[in-house]
């Protein structure tokens, strides 16, 4: 059984004007797989608690990248208020379905909508650390270049990782079937619910086997 | 209401079960669709999590957490096939 445990913030990195990465120290952390997430719990002085799920951005330690939602309850605290040495509670790692293992040789297609890049970036980083040559293709749909997470890593992707950035506000069109490759790879799709359902439908329409299209939805778009 | 999916049930279910139930494969009692718990449409979190079948939208699973008790209603699932590893 997974228990809540205390996590201490040790470092932050701004990814965009509205998103930041938080690096935590969690004593006794057991390690995790690329694609897994944690539940985060904040408790106010009056005992009120709020809980959210966030994907882990790497398998090298406990790092979350959080997008600030202007009407949010938890994300403004995580992105603007929380400082190093502050603590919160974490439960995890959890989720064993939306995961990629570096010993799986099958080619991989990653489809990200906005902040859905986070667990997919964990897969790209895990591939790099493991030193495997598994072919990866990333299709990252986002509104505009200012919203790009992990810009330094994605503008110069690793050998064997093909990254396409689709700026939907710039070209004034959502993701379409023409942006996506045909069947063959194992597919991981993550983003807001509407994006994930549309992208998964496009993939199945292109002939991808639904059993090889894994999805993770995180609710409303920001 | 905007839903998420059964990946979000992994944490709450981990409080109860020693194995990861989100990757278990369930059979819907209403339409017979077989698929992972992670693929269910999940509404919530308050007053509890309601997981619906992506095929027929019937309720497969409900999980309500009280201060000292968890209620798990599985009447919408015929069975769960739970991978246990080697």
């Amino acid at each position: 059984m997974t228990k809540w445990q205390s996590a201490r913030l040790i470092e932050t990195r701004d990814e965009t004007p509205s998103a930041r990465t938080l690096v935590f120290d969690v004593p006794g952390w057991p390690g995790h797989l690329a694609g897994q997430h944690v539940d985060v719990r904040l408790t106010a002085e009056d005992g009120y608690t709020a809980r959210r799920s966030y994907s882990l951005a790497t398998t090298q330690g406990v790092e979350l990248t959080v997008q600030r939602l202007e009407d949010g309850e938890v994300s403004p605290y995580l992105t603007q208020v929380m400082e190093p040495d502050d603590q919160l509670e974490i439960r995890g790692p959890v989720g064993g379905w939306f995961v990629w293992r570096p010993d799986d040789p099958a080619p991989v297609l990653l489809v990200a909508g906005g902040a859905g890049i986070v667990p997919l970036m964990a897969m790209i980083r895990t591939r790099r650390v493991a030193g495997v040559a598994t072919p990866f293709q990333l299709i990252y749909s986002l509104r505009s270049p200012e919203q790009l997470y992990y810009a330094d890593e994605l503008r110069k992707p690793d050998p064997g990782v093909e990254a396409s950035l689709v700026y939907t506000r710039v070209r004034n069109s959502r993701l379409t079937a023409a942006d996506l490759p045909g069947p063959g790879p194992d597919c991981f799709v993550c983003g807001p619910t509407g994006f994930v359902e549309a992208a998964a439908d496009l993939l199945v329409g292109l002939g991808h086997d639904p059993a090889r299209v894994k999805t993770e939805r995180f609710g409303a778009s920001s | 209401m905007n839903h998420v999916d059964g990946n979000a049930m992994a944490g709450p279910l981990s409080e109860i079960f020693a194995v990861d139930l989100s990757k278990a494969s369930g059979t819907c009692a209403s339409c017979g669709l077989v698929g992972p718990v992670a693929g269910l449409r999940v509404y919530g979190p308050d007053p509890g999590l309601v997981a619906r079948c992506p095929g027929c939208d019937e309720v497969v699973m409900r999980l309500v957490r009280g201060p000292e008790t968890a209620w798990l209603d599985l009447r919408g699932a015929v069975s769960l096939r739970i991978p246990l590893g080697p």
Side-chain angles (χ1 to χ4, degrees), chain A residues 18-103:
Chain A
S18 60
R20 81 172 176 176
T21 292
L22 301 98
V23 184
F24 290 94
D25 175 43
V26 187
W29 184 254
H32 56 272
L33 301 169
Q36 287 195 290
H37 66 270
V38 295
D39 292 344
V40 166
R41 184 165 73 180
L42 298 177
T43 304
E45 284 176 13
D46 64 0
Y48 172 78
T49 62
R51 204 178 70 208
R52 296 289 183 278
S53 296
Y54 292 105
S55 289
L56 291 148
T58 171
T59 44
Q60 307 295 106
V62 180
E63 287 192 25
L64 314 177
T65 304
V66 177
Q67 174 72 43
R68 183 168 64 252
L69 307 178
E70 293 307 335
D71 57 349
E73 197 174 47
V74 173
S75 62
Y77 173 76
L78 295 179
T79 53
Q80 291 178 303
V81 180
M82 194 175 191
E83 293 181 352
D85 276 339
D86 289 347
Q87 304 210 357
L88 48 66
E89 287 178 293
I90 271 185
R91 176 171 67 193
V94 290
W97 185 69
F98 192 83
V99 298
W100 177 75
R101 291 179 172 81
D103 60 1

Side-chain angles (χ1 to χ4, degrees), chain A residues 1-2 4 37 39 51 53 91 94-98 101 193 197 215-221, chain B residues 2-5 7-8 10-12 14-18 20 22-23 36 38-39 41 45 49:
Chain A
M1 285 180 289
T2 314
W4 290 103
H37 66 270
D39 292 344
R51 204 178 70 208
S53 296
R91 176 171 67 193
V94 290
W97 185 69
F98 192 83
R101 291 179 172 81
T193 299
E197 301 199 338
T215 51
E216 182 162 86
R217 302 158 176 84
F218 54 70
S221 170
Chain B
N2 210 305
H3 60 279
V4 293
D5 59 35
N7 293 297
S14 76
E15 218 178 11
I16 307 170
F17 296 98
D20 175 24
S22 72
K23 63 180 180 182
R41 292 180 181 153
L49 295 166

Side-chain angles (χ1 to χ4, degrees), chain A residues 60-171:
Chain A
Q60 307 295 106
V62 180
E63 287 192 25
L64 314 177
T65 304
V66 177
Q67 174 72 43
R68 183 168 64 252
L69 307 178
E70 293 307 335
D71 57 349
E73 197 174 47
V74 173
S75 62
Y77 173 76
L78 295 179
T79 53
Q80 291 178 303
V81 180
M82 194 175 191
E83 293 181 352
D85 276 339
D86 289 347
Q87 304 210 357
L88 48 66
E89 287 178 293
I90 271 185
R91 176 171 67 193
V94 290
W97 185 69
F98 192 83
V99 298
W100 177 75
R101 291 179 172 81
D103 60 1
D104 186 339
V108 171
L109 172 65
L110 308 172
V111 183
I117 186 66
V118 179
L120 308 183
M121 195 67 211
M123 297 177 188
I124 291 171
R125 288 168 166 169
T126 299
R127 173 188 182 279
R128 182 188 312 151
V129 170
V132 295
T134 313
F136 266 41
Q137 184 174 4
L138 167 70
I139 314 289
Y140 180 5
S141 169
L142 63 166
R143 287 176 184 170
S144 62
E146 298 76 49
Q147 304 286 317
L148 179 64
Y149 290 15
Y150 319 124
D152 291 346
E153 286 171 87
L154 290 178
R155 289 205 172 107
K156 291 182 189 168
D158 302 329
V161 177
E162 185 191 324
S164 306
L165 307 175
V166 178
Y167 297 121
T168 56
R169 283 275 166 85
V170 175
R171 71 174 201 186

Side-chain angles (χ1 to χ4, degrees), chain B residues 7-34:
Chain B
N7 293 297
M9 296 191 80
L13 287 167
S14 76
E15 218 178 11
I16 307 170
F17 296 98
V19 295
D20 175 24
L21 233 56
S22 72
K23 63 180 180 182
S25 178
T27 303
C28 174
S30 173
C31 73
L33 184 76
V34 178

Side-chain angles (χ1 to χ4, degrees), chain B:
Chain B
M1 188 160 59
N2 210 305
H3 60 279
V4 293
D5 59 35
N7 293 297
M9 296 191 80
L13 287 167
S14 76
E15 218 178 11
I16 307 170
F17 296 98
V19 295
D20 175 24
L21 233 56
S22 72
K23 63 180 180 182
S25 178
T27 303
C28 174
S30 173
C31 73
L33 184 76
V34 178
V37 169
L40 296 172
R41 292 180 181 153
V42 172
Y43 299 80
D46 298 315
L49 295 166
V50 177
R52 293 179 175 272
C53 174
C56 69
D57 222 30
E58 283 297 319
V59 175
V60 176
M61 189 184 290
R62 292 187 291 180
L63 176 60
V64 178
R65 181 69 159 88
E68 294 174 4
T69 323
W71 290 81
L72 180 60
D73 175 348
L74 280 167
R75 88 183 88 170
V78 176
S79 64
L80 287 174
R81 181 172 176 271
I82 303 164
L84 296 175

